[in-house]
Amino acid sequence: MGCAALLWGTILLACSCGPGPPRVVAAPLLAATYVLDDTNGLGREFDGIGAVSGGGATSRLLVNYQEPYRSEILDYLFKPNFGASLHILKVEIGGDAQSTDGTEPSHMHYENDENYFRGYEWWLMKEAKKRNPKIKLIGLPWAFPGWIGRGEDWPYDYPDITAYYIISWILGAKQYHDLDIDYIGIWNERAFSSKYIKVLRHSLDRLGLWNIGIIAADGDWSISNEMIVDPYLNDAIQVVGAHYPGTKTVENAIRTGKKLWSSEDYSTFNNDVGAGCWARILNQNYVNGNMTATIAWNLVASYYEELPFGRCALMTAQEPWSGHYKVESPIWITAHTTQFTQPGWSYLQVDGHLEGGGSFVALTDGLGNLTIIIETMSHNHSKCIRPPLPNFNVIPQRATFYLRGSFSMVETLQVWHSRLDFESGNSSLFQKLHPLQVWRGRFSLDLNVDEVYTLTTLKTGWKCGYPEPPPPQPFPSIYNDDFNIRNPPFSEAPNFADQTGVFEYFVNASDPGDHVFTLRQVVVQRPITWVSDADQTISVIGNFKWVNMTVTCDIYIEKPRDGGVFIAGRVDNGGIYVRESKGVFFWVFADGTYRVTADLAGKEILMKGLAGVRDNAWHTLTLNIQGNSASGLLNGYPLWENVTVSKPGNGWAALGTRSFEFAQFDNFHIEAY
């Protein structure tokens, strides 16, 4: 047997059998039949496909896009029959702490504080609802303000307080934004408390919020072990949600009788392999695991790409200064399901495994409509970031479907097709093909490897598009912000990405001079953290590739005696790794001293001395980094110079505080090259 060439639906084999030229014969594809029948009832109810904003600060840069680009991005995500057409939006309930790529502000920084206009998740939920009034909304905390723990790094010692805090967020969503939250979570990927879950359910019911379902526990499936022996806990929970389940569930989760969701999944770089991962799990979470909703982390990569898990999102929008964004292939993989189904549809009772590898699901609205989604993703082209993927094989195959029951009269199916091309890189995404004729309840389809098909009775699908956005541009090398904005649309200044602490616009009513409008760090107690936040607060900004730069900022230390602030350059880390951040940090303290350190923790001291700075007074700091040398100015006069800096060789600019303390910043200026 000599060579093999693949044609559509047939493999040509060149066979040598004795003397003479090879004889070409056609070898039929692997063929298998599948029956779709609703005569004996339907499978589980479909709950939708969604994505997460948060966990954390993943939509940070999105809000700063100018129109029309910001609305275009939102349309690709949420507008029905347009792009991803998402059914579910899950947002972080900000907890003032690092939650992967930054911190998101809490609605209650302090016990006597309530503000339902902080951050951008309120805005995002409203924009999603504006485009799709039926979209389901979920809130989930990653962290909590420190006051909830009464000094302990734990949210469950006082369950009534934690429940009050979460319900305040739900009520604030309705009162101030007319948003109805559909589901609420417990604590992302951390321990759950059965007592707290019951208290939360009781508190919701007491306020008439019976319609809000509790999802638990947003980690593994272990909560189901307690649910099957505790009927009160089981009654309190509407959805058992697991993260990165590898398309598998466990027997006890099924025994709960509850909806099973992959309540966070994907988290994979958004190239075509990421699209293959997403295509595979969207089907196989149900085929293998009975999961009726899959939610991607994350919605849109609107954070600096060098932060952890850069571009692990359905699309990319990380340049508000240029307007550039990119509709990545996972958007169109999502559309294969979302544009032709709705929450409330039902899965058909089928095995769903294709004989040649791959999978299919079939769903109906119960009114005669039928949608079939087929994927044939190969192993190496569909690896998700987690968990490890066992080996499997996918080969070209012919699938013949028989439509029975209420589908026996279907005569035509609309066809949408994607093929991920890993050789040429020229993938074909979400293309409408000629309708498929169904002959006496039967049709056949030749399936290649790394394809997605949607076959549907619905004619509403649409691949929409806007003109190409502006080309990508680096962050401006000269950048200023004087924070002089009287009624800011968002609580945070553009492009600053808080990594520990929260930096907000502030009106300094007691200052009659040039510093009425400032940026203020407002977290004064270490939060109940999700990861290891730094002991200092820090917000980064700019271009990670910057090498030489001058950073200038007016600073105001509010904490007497041991308060302190810094400006920095070449900062090389953030997100979950913020504690390890290196760079060049120029500190001044309320006791009149200064330091230059090579790390955020302040342990690697390069220079120190007296500065004469005091608290409750404005001072101007300037940090100049050129090659292997750094110098610093205080109020325009040299304070230190010729400090040798070697590593890191590049990074962001930053500002921050010595501890969780009030401090203000104004007239921020960068020149970099």
Side-chain angles (χ1 to χ4, degrees):
M1 197 172 286
C3 60
L6 186 64
L7 290 183
W8 191 254
T10 309
I11 296 179
L12 295 182
L13 300 178
C15 301
S16 295
C17 302
R23 182 168 55 89
V24 177
V25 297
L29 296 174
L30 171 73
T33 60
Y34 311 93
V35 178
L36 304 180
D37 190 350
D38 60 354
T39 303
N40 295 320
L42 299 169
R44 288 180 174 243
E45 182 179 301
F46 174 66
D47 295 308
I49 307 301
V52 184
S53 171
T58 54
S59 303
R60 175 68 195 91
L61 299 174
L62 174 62
V63 298
N64 306 135
Y65 270 80
Q66 299 299 306
E67 296 297 347
Y69 311 116
R70 190 172 72 176
S71 289
E72 293 173 3
I73 295 163
L74 294 165
D75 285 348
Y76 279 118
L77 294 168
F78 300 119
K79 190 174 180 179
N81 297 313
F82 191 91
S85 306
L86 293 170
H87 303 135
I88 300 168
L89 173 60
K90 179 177 182 178
V91 304
E92 176 178 353
I93 300 174
D96 291 341
Q98 176 61 243
S99 50
T100 300
D101 289 299
T103 65
E104 297 204 22
S106 170
H107 59 290
M108 298 178 73
H109 292 318
Y110 330 110
E111 191 167 3
N112 59 351
D113 163 64
E114 288 184 69
N115 184 323
Y116 298 95
F117 295 92
R118 293 185 182 124
Y120 34 85
E121 304 298 3
W122 312 109
W123 166 83
L124 186 62
M125 287 189 284
K126 286 189 288 188
E127 293 294 327
K129 277 283 187 183
K130 185 190 302 182
R131 288 161 175 80
N132 178 8
K134 295 181 180 178
I135 197 167
K136 301 294 184 183
L137 300 177
I138 305 172
L140 174 67
W142 268 248
F144 302 85
W147 62 268
I148 283 177
R150 294 289 192 265
E152 298 295 326
D153 192 29
W154 192 245
Y156 299 138
D157 287 342
Y158 304 93
D160 290 319
I161 292 174
T162 306
Y164 163 75
Y165 169 79
I166 294 297
I167 290 174
S168 295
W169 184 86
I170 295 170
L171 296 176
K174 181 63 176 176
Q175 180 177 346
Y176 295 98
H177 303 285
D178 198 26
L179 291 168
D180 293 303
I181 304 301
D182 297 286
Y183 298 95
I184 204 76
I186 305 306
W187 189 12
N188 183 73
E189 295 174 355
R190 294 295 178 262
F192 63 88
S193 160
S194 296
K195 179 180 180 181
Y196 167 67
I197 293 170
K198 295 172 195 174
V199 168
L200 179 60
R201 179 74 269 166
H202 176 73
S203 301
L204 289 166
D205 292 347
R206 195 177 67 236
L207 292 169
L209 301 173
W210 309 283
N211 58 314
I212 296 178
I214 291 178
I215 303 174
D218 283 301
D220 58 21
W221 296 109
S222 61
I223 193 169
S224 61
N225 301 332
E226 294 197 22
M227 292 172 66
I228 61 173
V229 297
D230 184 343
Y232 295 103
L233 178 63
N234 201 63
D235 287 347
I237 294 169
Q238 185 175 355
V239 176
V240 183
H243 287 194
Y244 308 95
T247 77
K248 304 292 176 60
T249 187
V250 297
E251 182 60 33
N252 279 350
I254 296 172
R255 287 178 60 196
T256 65
K258 299 293 182 176
K259 293 176 179 291
L260 308 180
W261 289 8
S262 178
S263 52
E264 184 180 313
D265 218 326
Y266 175 65
S267 190
T268 301
F269 191 78
N270 58 18
N271 58 10
D272 281 358
V273 173
C277 152
W278 187 229
R280 178 176 55 79
I281 65 178
L282 282 180
N283 268 16
Q284 295 191 24
N285 276 345
Y286 183 75
V287 170
N288 297 333
N290 292 292
M291 286 167 270
T292 55
T294 297
I295 301 174
W297 189 91
N298 64 75
L299 175 73
V300 54
S302 285
Y303 47 99
Y304 292 116
E305 188 170 336
E306 295 83 4
L307 288 167
F309 306 104
R311 280 185 54 190
C312 289
L314 299 182
M315 68 178 289
T316 304
Q318 58 192 18
E319 288 190 18
W321 48 88
S322 73
H324 179 74
Y325 64 85
K326 189 174 181 185
V327 183
E328 310 283 4
S329 47
I331 288 287
W332 301 116
I333 295 300
T334 311
H336 272 283
T337 298
T338 53
Q339 289 204 21
F340 309 104
T341 59
Q342 286 298 325
W345 283 42
S346 294
Y347 287 97
L348 269 61
Q349 298 185 63
V350 292
D351 174 83
H353 294 98
L354 294 170
E355 289 295 325
S359 66
F360 72 93
V361 292
L363 301 99
T364 180
D365 62 355
L367 302 173
N369 282 308
L370 173 67
T371 292
I372 306 161
I373 304 113
I374 301 168
E375 62 81 21
T376 58
M377 294 299 131
S378 58
H379 177 273
N380 289 349
H381 294 160
S382 68
K383 288 181 178 179
C384 302
I385 198 169
R386 68 180 76 85
L389 182 62
N391 282 322
F392 61 86
N393 291 314
V394 180
I395 60 173
Q397 57 194 299
R398 173 168 293 166
T400 299
F401 290 86
Y402 289 88
L403 305 185
R404 301 284 189 255
S406 66
F407 312 118
S408 60
M409 304 304 291
V410 171
E411 296 181 348
T412 306
L413 291 170
Q414 307 300 312
V415 182
W416 292 81
H417 173 254
S418 292
R419 180 170 185 269
L420 301 176
D421 188 333
F422 293 92
E423 293 182 5
S424 71
N426 189 26
S427 294
S428 171
L429 295 168
F430 200 59
Q431 296 298 311
K432 193 175 194 303
L433 305 184
H434 290 298
L436 186 68
Q437 300 305 311
V438 181
W439 177 251
R440 293 183 178 178
R442 168 185 167 175
F443 67 89
S444 295
L445 200 61
D446 290 339
L447 305 173
N448 215 321
V449 179
D450 294 329
E451 292 187 317
V452 182
Y453 276 96
T454 300
L455 313 171
T456 180
T457 56
L458 298 179
K459 298 180 180 180
T460 51
W462 200 259
K463 184 176 183 179
C464 293
Y466 287 111
E468 278 292 306
Q473 296 286 341
F475 193 94
S477 58
I478 299 177
Y479 185 82
N480 298 284
D481 197 336
D482 61 11
F483 313 115
N484 288 354
I485 180 166
R486 187 171 294 276
N487 294 301
F490 298 98
S491 59
E492 297 157 296
N495 304 317
F496 281 92
D498 303 348
Q499 301 302 311
T500 296
V502 172
F503 295 76
E504 295 180 349
Y505 283 120
F506 180 64
V507 178
N508 192 353
S510 62
D511 191 305
D514 299 330
H515 301 289
V516 176
F517 299 101
T518 67
L519 189 71
R520 192 188 198 203
Q521 199 295 118
V522 295
V523 179
V524 294
Q525 180 181 2
R526 187 174 182 83
I528 298 173
T529 57
W530 185 68
V531 291
S532 296
D533 292 43
D535 297 320
Q536 306 75 22
T537 73
I538 179 173
S539 188
V540 302
I541 188 170
N543 185 343
F544 188 77
K545 296 182 174 67
W546 280 344
V547 175
N548 299 318
M549 68 187 82
T550 299
V551 183
T552 300
C553 190
D554 297 342
I555 60 92
Y556 186 91
I557 302 169
E558 296 190 47
K559 187 179 182 183
R561 293 182 296 280
D562 58 352
V565 303
F566 69 82
I567 60 173
R570 292 189 188 172
V571 177
D572 71 343
N573 245 321
I576 54 178
Y577 309 115
V578 64
R579 284 185 76 87
E580 284 81 55
S581 293
K582 308 291 186 184
V584 183
F585 294 81
F586 175 15
W587 307 77
V588 291
F589 304 106
D591 65 2
T593 64
Y594 78 91
R595 285 188 180 185
V596 184
T597 69
D599 59 342
L600 175 62
K603 295 178 180 177
E604 192 175 339
I605 300 171
L606 304 176
M607 176 79 82
K608 63 180 180 178
L610 292 174
V613 168
R614 57 187 175 87
D615 59 88
N616 291 294
W618 284 98
H619 303 275
T620 301
L621 303 184
T622 301
L623 171 65
N624 184 42
I625 308 171
Q626 306 291 328
N628 292 325
S629 180
S631 59
L633 284 72
L634 173 64
N635 299 326
Y637 294 95
L639 181 63
W640 53 273
E641 56 189 2
N642 298 325
V643 170
T644 300
V645 293
S646 53
K647 294 182 179 179
N650 57 277
W652 296 292
L655 48 75
T657 64
R658 181 186 207 172
S659 65
F660 290 98
E661 61 186 273
F662 287 125
Q664 294 177 56
F665 303 85
D666 204 357
N667 298 319
F668 183 81
H669 176 78
I670 307 171
E671 291 188 25
Y673 50 94

